[in-house]
């Protein structure tokens, strides 16, 4: 059973996953309470991995942007993205993934398919859906512990290789992903990050990148399941779509796919196990308009449920890290 306690600053804190923080007085905004809230966050985020700020008076996207930026790290641009998003009012604030309302988004850690990612991510519910639309979360430490040790070691030792094809009308264009229309900018970005890039005769692009399958948190030293293999793999699509894509573009032309780092295929049973563990670890809570969810992106994965009615959730990210510097042996 959750315990409710009162902080010295009169903020109500309810233990659990996510940790829930409520204002001590009616009408308090997150921005106005930041000095008090920062102490809660710094003490508890790395322990709990996820904090839900609920019941605070909303001061809109601009207030959300000020709150996220106040933690002391510049908000990040959405670079080398894998999903469609749009920038909204406020520097560094984006729409959440712009997928159709009837589709779910699997649990994942933001940008775990590359070697650079944000340590912190915030979600602001500007408008809760009429039904559904939750943002489930999962403890990546617990996922790591539950995955079969042999599979876990295989992901650590062999790493993963993500392959992406852009510009074939089936996914994001390279211009959207790299925020440029110049080949030289793309080549420079890839060279600096160890991404292999190849232009075809039509001017479209293919990239390959070998990255981590698991990672160690730089401050807590916890090992976490940190990849998007189950999401990038062809088996994430329904069988009919898999067949259509293979018939249309073949395996080499798939918009995205993932292999072990040596190029060998991932086993179907391994992906099934991973999806099963993620489902076991999933925690779902309802959104209320005005809520802000703050995650340590390495400790906590997130997803999205289908929904009906209008839903507006925006996102900010900060504290970018280079994953190659975090790869050690447990």
């Amino acid at each position: 059973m959750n315990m409710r306690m009162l902080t010295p600053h009169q903020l109500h804190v309810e233990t659990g996953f996510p940790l829930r923080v409520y204002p001590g007085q009616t009408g308090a905004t997150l921005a106005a309470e930041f000095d008090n809230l920062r102490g809660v966050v710094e003490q508890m985020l790395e322990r709990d991995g996820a904090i839900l700020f609920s019941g605070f008076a909303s001061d809109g996207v601009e207030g959300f942007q000020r709150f996220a930026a106040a933690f002391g790290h510049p908000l990040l641009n959405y670079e080398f993205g894998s999903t469609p998003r749009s920038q909204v009012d406020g520097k560094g604030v984006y729409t959440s993934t712009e997928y159709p309302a009837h589709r779910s988004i699997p649990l994942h850690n933001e940008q775990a398919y590359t070697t650079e990612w944000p340590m912190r991510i915030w979600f602001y519910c500007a408008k809760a859906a009429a039904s559904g639309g939750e943002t489930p979360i999962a403890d990546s430490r617990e996922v790591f512990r539950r995955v079969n040790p042999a599979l876990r070691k295989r992901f650590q030792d062999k790493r993963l290789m993500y392959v992406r094809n852009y510009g074939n009308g089936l996914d994001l264009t390279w211009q959207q992903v790299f925020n440029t229309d110049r080949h030289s900018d793309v080549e420079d970005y890839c060279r600096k990050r160890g991404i292999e890039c190849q232009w075809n005769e039509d001017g479209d692009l293919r990239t390959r990148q070998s990255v981590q399958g698991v990672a160690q948190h730089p401050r807590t030293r916890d090992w976490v399941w940190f990849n998007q293999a189950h999401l990038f793999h062809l088996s994430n699509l329904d069988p009919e779509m898999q067949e259509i894509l293979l018939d249309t573009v073949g395996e080499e032309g798939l918009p995205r796919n993932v292999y072990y780092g040596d190029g060998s295929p991932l086993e179907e049973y391994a992906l099934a196990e991973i999806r099963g563990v993620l489902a076991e670890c999933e925690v779902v809570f309802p959104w209320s308009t005005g809520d802000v969810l703050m995650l340590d992106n390495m400790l906590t994965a997130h997803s999205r449920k289908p929904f009906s009615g209008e839903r507006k959730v925006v996102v900010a990210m900060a504290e970018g890290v280079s994953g190659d510097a975090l790869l050690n042996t447990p």
Side-chain angles (χ1 to χ4, degrees):
M1 180 180 295
N2 291 344
M3 291 179 58
R4 181 176 292 275
M5 56 187 176
L6 195 63
T7 73
H9 300 294
Q10 303 302 304
L11 294 170
H12 298 278
V13 179
E14 186 176 339
T15 60
F17 186 69
L19 187 81
R20 297 169 188 260
V21 178
Y22 305 92
Q25 57 183 355
T26 303
T29 66
L30 285 171
E33 289 289 322
F34 178 77
D35 287 343
N36 297 336
L37 290 166
R38 183 169 191 165
V40 173
V41 170
E42 300 301 340
Q43 291 176 35
M44 301 181 180
L45 186 63
E46 289 173 7
R47 185 195 70 190
D48 296 277
I51 301 177
L52 180 67
F53 302 100
S54 191
F56 290 84
S58 175
D59 48 7
V61 172
E62 289 187 4
F64 166 68
Q65 188 272 342
R66 290 195 303 271
F67 175 69
F71 285 94
H73 297 278
L75 300 186
L76 300 173
N77 292 325
Y78 187 58
E79 295 183 339
F80 199 49
S82 64
T83 58
R85 299 172 187 248
S86 303
Q87 191 164 11
V88 298
D89 293 340
K91 182 180 178 181
V93 178
Y94 292 81
T95 60
S96 56
T97 299
E98 297 172 352
Y99 275 0
H102 69 277
R103 290 182 59 181
S104 61
I105 299 173
L107 282 161
H108 64 284
N109 304 83
E110 196 66 32
Q111 295 188 301
Y113 54 84
T114 185
T115 57
E116 295 182 355
W117 57 78
M119 286 295 293
R120 294 183 176 186
I121 183 168
W122 295 262
F123 299 85
Y124 167 57
C125 181
K127 184 176 179 59
S131 65
E134 300 92 345
T135 299
I137 57 177
D139 186 331
S140 298
R141 292 166 291 194
E142 184 63 22
V143 176
F144 180 86
R145 286 190 287 265
R146 293 194 188 194
V147 169
N148 182 284
L151 176 58
R152 198 167 61 205
K153 189 173 190 310
R154 192 153 68 248
F155 266 57
Q156 179 187 344
D157 292 346
K158 300 187 73 170
R159 294 166 56 92
L160 296 169
M161 181 174 67
Y162 295 90
V163 180
R164 301 177 65 180
N165 287 286
Y166 316 83
N168 54 16
L170 300 173
D171 208 336
L172 298 176
T173 66
W174 61 264
Q175 292 92 336
Q176 291 172 301
V177 170
F178 292 94
N179 298 315
T180 183
D181 58 4
R182 297 174 53 178
H183 286 202
S184 59
D185 291 342
V186 173
E187 292 163 2
D188 184 57
Y189 182 97
C190 291
R191 182 170 55 255
K192 290 178 179 177
R193 293 161 177 82
I195 302 171
E196 177 187 342
C197 66
Q198 176 185 351
W199 302 99
N200 63 27
E201 294 180 356
D202 297 327
D204 293 335
L205 176 69
R206 174 180 297 155
T207 62
R208 296 183 180 87
Q209 187 179 26
S210 177
V211 308
Q212 70 291 321
V214 301
Q216 189 175 29
H217 195 282
R219 292 189 286 271
T220 71
R221 311 311 295 170
D222 290 313
W223 281 87
V224 295
W225 189 254
F226 198 77
N227 62 75
Q228 292 192 18
H230 64 292
L231 197 156
F232 265 72
H233 195 266
L234 178 64
S235 62
N236 184 49
L237 303 174
D238 64 68
E240 182 180 0
M241 181 57 67
Q242 293 180 42
E243 184 176 353
I244 290 172
L245 284 174
L246 289 173
D247 287 345
T248 303
V249 298
E251 184 175 346
E252 282 293 307
L254 291 172
R256 60 182 73 183
N257 207 354
V258 60
Y259 305 85
Y260 285 118
D262 60 5
S264 58
L266 295 175
E267 305 91 347
E268 292 284 349
Y269 76 84
L271 291 159
E273 177 185 335
I274 293 164
R275 293 183 178 114
V277 171
L278 288 167
E280 292 172 2
C281 294
E282 181 183 80
V283 174
V284 184
F285 61 92
W287 277 120
S288 294
T289 297
D291 284 355
V292 171
L293 177 67
M294 183 176 182
L295 305 179
D296 182 303
N297 182 46
M298 290 190 71
L299 299 181
T300 305
H302 63 275
S303 61
R304 191 202 74 183
K305 294 289 189 184
F307 63 93
S308 62
E310 184 182 1
R311 176 188 189 268
K312 184 178 181 182
V313 174
V314 298
V315 181
M317 303 177 291
E319 197 180 348
V321 299
S322 173
D324 283 341
L326 307 180
L327 299 179
N328 300 297
T329 302

